[in-house]
Amino acid sequence: MTQPFYQYVQKYRQSGTRHPKPEAEFAELVYTDGDFPKSAMDFQTISEYLELTPRYSSSVAVFDEIWHHYENHE
């Protein structure tokens, strides 16, 4: 993991797609969230933020899946 999670998750964005995949919806939420910890690279910081931010309540499983890919990316 050499890049922040925020930067990694942007590859899942599919703006303009009529029926985006859950990963794309999560990435769009992150992109439009001005308070997201953009430089964070650790699970604890990001997962705590997501748990405390209501807009992500239905995206926790998607986050877990993307995080798994993020960890194994490098």
Side-chain angles (χ1 to χ4, degrees):
M1 297 182 297
T2 58
Q3 64 182 335
F5 179 76
Y6 175 86
Q7 190 176 3
Y8 176 80
V9 80
Q10 296 312 306
K11 76 178 199 165
Y12 290 95
R13 286 185 67 220
Q14 299 174 344
S15 29
T17 304
R18 264 191 117 171
H19 303 290
K21 295 180 180 181
E23 296 87 352
E25 291 176 350
F26 177 79
E28 196 63 30
L29 281 175
V30 169
Y31 177 75
T32 59
D33 182 355
D35 294 324
F36 191 87
K38 292 180 174 79
S39 61
M41 297 174 67
D42 64 291
F43 181 83
Q44 190 68 29
T45 300
I46 297 166
S47 66
E48 283 180 8
Y49 177 79
L50 297 179
E51 289 173 10
L52 296 172
T53 308
R55 74 187 297 175
Y56 296 105
S57 62
S58 63
S59 303
V60 175
V62 177
F63 163 69
D64 289 339
E65 182 180 328
I66 294 173
W67 183 266
H68 175 74
H69 294 294
Y70 173 65
E71 282 186 312
N72 297 307
H73 179 69
E74 299 299 321

